[in-house]
Amino acid sequence: MKSQSRPEPKKSTKREASMASTSQKIGEFFERVCGSNSTREREREREDQRQTIKGRVVLMKKNVMDLNDSKASLIDSFYELMGKQVSLQLISATSVDPVNHSRGRIGSPIYLQRWNCTGSAVTARETEFEVTFDWEEEMGVPGAIRVINRHHSEFYLSSVTLEDVPGHGRIHFVCNSWVYPVRYENERVFFSNKAYLPCHTPRPLLQYREEELMKLRGNGHGERKTWERIYDYDVYNDLGNPDKDPEYRRPVLGGSKEYPYPRRGRTGRGRAKTDPYSEKRLPLLSLDIYVPKDERFSQVKLSDFLAYAVKSIVQVVIPEIRSIFNKTFNEFDSLEDILRIYEVGTNVPNGGTHDTVSNCISWEFIRELGRSDVGFCKFPMPDVIKENNSAWRTDEEFAREMLAGLNPIIIRRLEEFPPASKLETDKYGNHTSTITKGHIEKNMNGLTVDQAIENNKLFILDYHDALMPYLSRINATSTKMYATRTLLFLQEDGTLKPLAIELSLPHPQGESYGVTSQVYTPAEDGVESYIWQLAKAYVAVNDSGYHQLISHWLNTHAVIEPFVIATNRQLSVLHPINKLLHPHFRDTMNINALARQILINAGGFLEMTVFPGKYALELSSVSYKNWNFMEQALPADLLKRGVAVEDPDCPHGLRLLIEDYPYAVDGLEVWSAIETWVTEYCSFYYPEDDLVWYDTELQSWWMELRNEGHGDKKCESWWPQMHTRADLIKTCTIIIWVASALHAAINFGQYPYGGYLPNRPTISRRFMPQPGTQEYEELQRNPELGFLKTITPQCQTLLGIALIEILSRHATDEIYLGQRDNPEWTSDAEALAAFESFGSRLRDIESIINQRNLDRRWNNRFGPVEMQYTLLYPNTSDFSRQGGITGKGIPNSVSI
């Protein structure tokens, strides 16, 4: 059978091929436009999954001195019309985008609408925008938000809140940051208020967390710009101004054994022309010194600060003009003359003039100028002379202020007699005190010195060793002062009685020969009583200078700044310890930068008004050699000074040897509250010690803090190892104590106690008058004038009072211990509950302090001047935001 061959397939023509190709292209076109069946099905599924999330964005538009920056507003409006808007995108905390380098999936952008319709606030008010995000179910829970500013000007983003997130509920983002246009930074990423240790961070957020820290660290090079958020370290090489005059050259503090010092924030400015080690200075009154933008004062606080400064300038200038026509230029003629600077003044103008001015400058600025607590041209009456303008002279008040005054952290128990010196004998000779038993036993209620020491009845205020090495140099200037020792006796009523004051000078033949000393004892009559009053004034001069330079500036402002820098560089905003400490760093870098610019710089206010003069900061560097972080804890400090002993049966585990010691009594209450709060907080996030040890950010923070921030102390053995939760709790408790309560105790009493300078003179201009001299005869003839010619002259007095009036004022945006600027600072319920307990405990302490101050058994709580001790009154219950000189309240941070 013949097989049948398979027919050949029909060859397609070119025409048919062309038609098929055209048909395929048309089909592809319609698929792209309309979607294929499968694509449409996928889109329908995604539409079914896509939901909307409503939210709220709160921000402040750029203002200048709280007024509209019309140019910026106009340009931003134009940018809006051109489609250059502010966009926000949600970032998933639970869903990774594999194409986006394992980062969280990013949602579609939304834009802030009606920007031009909201306008810029005249004052520092916030603007609120309603927003709606598209969010797909597969993207999970938002954990961060991406913000891009395509405007011309920056704005301050306060917060973003998402309502009813599917399957999760409310999510809050605390931002509190300036967002600059894309020409400065491409984007900003903000995280939700949920705290995570590094090892617990959701994988989609981990890379964002690490990149944000890298941006904050910078590369350590170049001059910092206004818009940057870079935190870095530098030494104090910006205090001198050698290009102005060699007289203004100052040593570099930090980075050497001779002058160790904590580090400051780096600005990267160039070097001075005449000194390659010094950073060039800005113009004196410039406020444009670099600090990271988010560390700058708020608009409200800046207005407060500038208004106080304007007041102070007027308050100094007017009395100085009057003094030109007085018979004694730059001198107060009497104590009554000093009182006139508080009692005579001109109030702020009202009516048309006031209205005209208020239209030109900030409302906050005007409001502060017109505060009712003080006239425009006069100083407020200091508390120390409000009830009685002569009680400050008494011995009881002199001694009481060592326990309840402005510098209650120096007095210590006397453990050997006569008091000895720790100065090197090879270099300085013999500096043992010349006070004898005969000088003091006559006023010790029948006790001998040995009995008094055994019964913990003798105490000493000792500035001898701290000042003696610099005394020759200081006295080569117009200042004439002594290094002092003051012995005191603890009486049965709990008050201290001064027994003797020793005034010492370097030996005229040279330092290696030791000292020459004079001892003075209390006297009530004749010229001897005036001499005793002068002896107390020399002690007050020592105390005032040491307080301002060491107790205040060094031991709070300067030592805290490295913690601010290290925390921002090494602890993410997601880190629980960052959230714990961040409120206690508010405004510290800004106020320290201003201090370096106009207060502690060469020729600045501090050198003009405090006795060490040009050696002021150098002296604080020498003191830093003895600084010990662990001894900043209040219990450790009290034990070191011998004013307390360990006793497990007493509250806080300590028994005070001076029972009526207001600073210590109230301080231990506050310390205990802080310690309890920190313990509860850290125990929640670190249930085991291993979590501390394996926390990479925490270990980097602590290593950098020791090796860089306090690098000159890095070899000290007392630093905690940061291996355990106990190490972390103690460290954080000390940081919070120093930044809040310690600073409050030694800062906000400056005007109440020192606003009347005869009570706390800062300079002495001549030595103790000796019999047979013209000064001695003047003291006999007119003791008041002799006293005033010895202490701070009129110009420096007015400058000093003006300065401490500014430093003693609470800002109107003050946030006190136990308060937060945002109640949703964390979403962790356990942390919020612990913080609420902390606030409740602080409010209880307020009631306890009020009760103590009404109990007349505690003489040291009010004294002869009838001035209650409130410097450690927390003020947690006060949300009035009134500010002013109140003499009470513990702000969260070193902010003034």
Side-chain angles (χ1 to χ4, degrees):
M1 188 174 176
K2 190 178 180 180
S3 62
Q4 189 175 358
S5 61
R6 181 176 296 178
E8 292 288 332
K10 187 178 180 179
K11 294 183 178 179
S12 60
T13 65
K14 289 184 178 179
R15 176 186 176 92
E16 289 171 334
S18 176
M19 290 177 64
S21 175
T22 301
S23 176
Q24 182 180 352
K25 290 179 179 178
I26 291 172
E28 290 174 354
F29 171 76
F30 278 104
E31 274 195 25
R32 287 198 299 269
V33 174
C34 304
S36 64
N37 290 336
S38 60
T39 301
R40 286 197 298 270
E41 288 172 3
R42 287 197 300 270
E43 286 296 326
R44 279 196 298 269
E45 290 176 3
R46 295 181 70 177
E47 284 292 339
D48 292 339
Q49 293 178 352
R50 183 176 289 123
Q51 303 180 56
T52 59
I53 300 174
K54 293 189 178 298
R56 185 174 68 258
V57 176
V58 180
L59 58 81
M60 283 192 292
K61 298 181 181 181
K62 181 175 183 284
N63 294 304
V64 175
M65 280 297 295
D66 305 344
L67 288 182
N68 296 339
D69 181 351
S70 56
K71 179 182 176 182
S73 298
L74 182 63
I75 296 175
D76 282 346
S77 298
F78 177 75
Y79 275 48
E80 280 281 316
L81 295 174
M82 296 295 293
K84 296 183 177 182
Q85 298 173 286
V86 176
S87 68
L88 297 89
Q89 293 170 275
L90 299 180
I91 301 173
S92 175
T94 56
S95 179
V96 172
D97 183 353
V99 181
N100 197 16
H101 306 291
S102 299
R103 304 182 186 205
R105 290 180 184 269
I106 301 178
S108 301
I110 62 101
Y111 299 89
L112 296 185
Q113 302 297 322
R114 300 175 60 80
W115 181 279
N116 295 335
C117 299
T118 58
S120 293
V122 174
T123 57
R125 291 196 300 265
E126 295 174 326
T127 303
E128 187 175 300
F129 294 85
E130 300 294 331
V131 292
T132 301
F133 294 92
D134 287 333
W135 190 252
E136 299 173 7
E137 186 176 341
E138 66 180 14
M139 298 190 74
V141 179
I145 191 165
R146 180 189 191 199
V147 181
I148 299 178
N149 178 9
R150 296 178 179 85
H151 282 178
H152 170 269
S153 305
E154 67 272 20
F155 61 85
Y156 185 81
L157 183 59
S158 299
S159 65
V160 178
T161 305
L162 305 179
E163 304 288 354
D164 299 324
V165 176
H168 191 83
R170 179 186 174 90
I171 297 179
H172 190 70
F173 300 80
V174 178
C175 305
N176 290 340
S177 183
W178 287 94
V179 179
Y180 272 80
V182 290
R183 68 180 182 274
Y184 298 120
E185 49 187 353
N186 291 332
E187 64 180 35
R188 290 292 306 278
V189 173
F190 298 96
F191 300 95
S192 72
N193 58 356
K194 174 71 176 174
Y196 297 103
L197 296 179
C199 61
H200 296 156
T201 306
R203 184 184 169 207
L205 299 180
L206 192 57
Q207 195 163 344
Y208 290 107
R209 177 177 184 146
E210 293 170 351
E211 288 178 352
E212 178 68 7
L213 283 174
M214 290 178 64
K215 291 177 182 177
L216 293 173
R217 292 175 195 141
N219 60 14
H221 300 292
E223 184 172 354
R224 299 276 64 87
K225 308 301 181 185
T226 303
W227 60 84
E228 291 180 327
R229 298 182 299 125
I230 294 174
Y231 296 78
D232 205 355
Y233 304 96
D234 208 345
V235 294
Y236 278 71
N237 61 352
D238 60 341
L239 301 178
N241 192 1
D243 290 348
K244 180 179 179 180
D245 191 282
E247 177 67 20
Y248 290 91
R249 188 184 300 270
R250 296 293 181 269
V252 174
L253 304 184
S256 68
K257 289 185 177 180
E258 185 178 9
Y259 299 117
Y261 222 63
R263 299 300 187 262
R264 63 169 175 97
R266 179 181 176 274
T267 67
R269 293 201 302 269
R271 302 298 183 180
K273 295 177 182 179
T274 57
D275 182 2
Y277 299 105
S278 294
E279 190 173 88
K280 64 182 179 183
R281 297 279 303 172
L282 293 173
L284 179 61
L285 297 181
S286 173
L287 300 180
D288 199 29
I289 185 169
Y290 173 80
V291 293
K293 183 66 173 180
D294 292 341
E295 300 294 336
R296 288 185 175 271
F297 288 164
S298 70
Q299 292 170 327
V300 172
K301 180 158 186 171
L302 182 60
S303 293
D304 287 356
F305 188 82
L306 293 177
Y308 303 156
V310 169
K311 277 184 178 181
S312 298
I313 291 171
V314 173
Q315 289 163 173
V316 169
V317 169
I318 290 187
E320 279 299 289
I321 292 174
R322 289 180 184 142
S323 76
I324 294 174
F325 303 99
N326 286 348
K327 59 183 180 181
T328 51
F329 174 68
N330 199 28
E331 294 284 358
F332 289 112
D333 298 324
S334 66
L335 294 176
E336 192 68 29
D337 204 13
I338 297 178
L339 290 176
R340 291 192 185 99
I341 69 174
Y342 310 108
E343 296 174 350
V344 178
T346 306
N347 292 323
V348 180
N350 293 316
T353 303
H354 184 277
D355 294 338
T356 301
V357 175
S358 67
N359 288 329
C360 300
I361 55 178
S362 149
W363 165 246
E364 274 80 8
F365 186 82
I366 285 290
R367 181 193 62 198
E368 287 308 312
L369 285 178
R371 285 181 66 89
S372 60
D373 66 343
V374 58
F376 187 64
C377 299
K378 66 178 180 179
F379 291 104
M381 185 70 74
D383 288 351
V384 76
I385 55 171
K386 268 185 180 178
E387 299 298 325
N388 185 327
N389 63 20
S390 63
W392 62 274
R393 299 182 186 219
T394 64
D395 287 357
E396 182 181 343
E397 180 61 23
F398 170 71
R400 185 190 77 92
E401 291 185 21
M402 301 177 196
L403 304 173
L406 192 50
N407 197 25
I409 59 175
I410 306 300
I411 188 171
R412 61 181 174 85
R413 179 165 54 92
L414 187 67
E415 300 181 49
E416 61 177 344
F417 190 87
S421 169
K422 294 182 180 179
L423 294 175
E424 302 171 50
T425 54
D426 291 345
K427 184 176 182 179
Y428 294 104
N430 182 16
H431 280 253
T432 302
S433 175
T434 58
I435 300 175
T436 66
K437 294 180 179 180
H439 283 126
I440 62 176
E441 284 187 339
K442 58 188 176 183
N443 288 319
M444 288 170 51
N445 298 348
L447 291 180
T448 65
V449 167
D450 294 338
Q451 290 171 332
I453 290 177
E454 183 179 353
N455 289 285
N456 302 318
K457 293 288 188 180
L458 285 180
F459 294 83
I460 185 171
L461 188 74
D462 190 353
Y463 288 113
H464 183 95
D465 287 2
L467 302 180
M468 184 57 70
Y470 274 82
L471 214 52
S472 294
R473 281 172 281 180
I474 291 172
N475 285 340
T477 69
S478 59
T479 295
K480 301 293 180 279
M481 58 171 285
Y482 300 92
T484 67
R485 291 184 177 114
T486 305
L487 264 56
L488 305 110
F489 180 75
L490 179 61
Q491 303 186 100
E492 294 302 317
D493 64 357
T495 62
L496 291 172
K497 177 168 65 173
L499 297 175
I501 293 173
E502 181 182 54
L503 307 181
S504 299
L505 292 170
H507 198 282
Q509 292 182 325
E511 288 183 341
S512 62
Y513 288 87
V515 293
T516 59
S517 300
Q518 296 172 295
V519 178
Y520 299 90
T521 56
E524 296 181 358
D525 301 310
V527 70
E528 288 80 12
S529 66
Y530 310 145
I531 293 290
W532 173 244
Q533 200 69 38
L534 279 177
K536 291 191 292 183
Y538 290 118
V539 175
V541 169
N542 278 194
D543 192 64
S544 295
Y546 192 92
H547 160 264
Q548 200 65 273
L549 295 169
I550 315 300
S551 302
H552 184 202
W553 165 255
L554 174 66
N555 288 344
T556 60
H557 285 259
V559 302
I560 284 294
E561 186 161 354
F563 289 93
V564 182
I565 299 170
T567 299
N568 282 279
R569 285 169 55 87
Q570 299 297 341
L571 297 180
S572 164
V573 293
L574 287 167
H575 200 289
I577 300 305
N578 182 305
K579 291 184 182 294
L580 173 68
L581 297 179
H582 185 264
H584 304 289
F585 299 150
R586 180 177 185 246
D587 293 338
T588 299
M589 289 189 73
N590 200 156
I591 194 63
N592 285 4
L594 289 175
R596 298 196 308 273
Q597 178 68 5
I598 60 176
L599 293 182
I600 63 174
N601 59 300
F605 279 96
L606 208 62
E607 287 194 359
M608 287 192 288
T609 58
V610 178
F611 73 78
K614 63 183 290 185
Y615 303 106
L617 267 290
E618 189 177 328
L619 185 65
S620 72
S621 171
V622 173
S623 180
Y624 181 64
K625 293 179 181 180
N626 299 318
W627 182 80
N628 181 325
F629 175 72
M630 299 304 290
E631 291 176 354
Q632 306 313 301
L634 178 61
D637 170 60
L638 297 174
L639 291 170
K640 177 188 176 183
R641 291 190 284 119
V643 293
V645 293
E646 293 181 344
D647 188 337
D649 296 328
C650 290
H652 319 297
L654 292 180
R655 178 168 57 87
L656 293 173
L657 299 182
I658 304 175
E659 187 179 5
D660 187 10
Y661 189 170
Y663 164 77
V665 172
D666 295 354
L668 285 171
E669 298 280 5
V670 176
W671 168 270
S672 179
I674 295 172
E675 187 175 46
T676 300
W677 148 237
V678 173
T679 300
E680 292 176 356
Y681 184 88
C682 291
S683 298
F684 171 65
Y685 293 103
Y686 296 92
E688 300 175 354
D689 286 341
D690 283 351
L691 286 172
V692 174
W693 175 241
Y694 290 111
D695 184 337
T696 53
E697 287 184 7
L698 187 71
Q699 295 303 322
S700 296
W701 170 70
W702 193 237
M703 181 180 297
E704 181 173 287
L705 192 283
R706 292 174 55 177
N707 293 333
E708 298 290 338
H710 283 281
D712 297 333
K713 311 288 284 185
K714 63 184 177 183
C715 296
E716 300 288 355
S717 60
W718 38 254
W719 287 108
Q721 294 300 306
M722 203 56 69
H723 290 171
T724 66
R725 185 174 66 197
D727 289 342
L728 179 61
I729 290 169
K730 178 55 71 72
T731 297
C732 292
T733 302
I734 293 174
I735 294 170
I736 295 173
W737 164 260
V738 171
S740 60
L742 178 61
H743 180 258
I746 59 180
N747 180 73
F748 292 102
Q750 290 193 77
Y751 194 84
Y753 282 104
Y756 184 66
L757 220 66
N759 184 52
R760 288 188 63 80
T762 58
I763 293 173
S764 51
R765 296 179 281 163
R766 60 188 190 184
F767 294 123
M768 181 71 81
Q770 300 300 315
T773 63
Q774 182 178 344
E775 289 82 3
Y776 193 87
E777 293 176 2
E778 182 182 58
L779 190 65
Q780 285 180 306
R781 184 174 61 256
N782 190 340
E784 208 168 89
L785 184 60
F787 178 83
L788 292 174
K789 283 187 175 182
T790 300
I791 64 169
T792 319
Q794 177 171 305
C795 182
Q796 284 98 322
T797 293
L798 295 170
L799 286 172
I801 294 174
L803 173 61
I804 62 176
E805 183 192 3
I806 296 173
L807 299 181
S808 300
R809 282 186 178 272
H810 288 288
T812 53
D813 66 347
E814 199 80 272
I815 301 174
Y816 294 105
L817 193 64
Q819 299 177 352
R820 289 269 179 157
D821 61 351
N822 191 317
E824 295 183 84
W825 59 274
T826 181
S827 62
D828 295 321
E830 293 84 352
L832 289 172
F835 186 69
E836 177 57 35
S837 296
F838 177 47
S840 178
R841 176 58 187 153
L842 291 171
R843 289 187 288 273
D844 290 342
I845 292 172
E846 292 176 6
S847 298
I848 292 170
I849 290 174
N850 284 334
Q851 292 169 6
R852 287 173 179 156
N853 285 338
L854 294 175
D855 191 337
R856 303 298 290 188
R857 292 178 302 166
W858 308 118
N859 295 299
N860 294 328
R861 298 197 74 90
F862 46 87
V865 294
E866 293 293 333
M867 178 180 172
Q868 291 185 354
Y869 186 74
T870 55
L871 292 176
L872 284 172
Y873 181 91
N875 220 30
T876 309
S877 58
D878 182 10
F879 291 90
S880 66
R881 302 291 186 260
Q882 290 297 308
I885 300 176
T886 64
K888 66 178 181 179
I890 302 176
N892 271 324
S893 61
V894 179
S895 57
I896 191 66

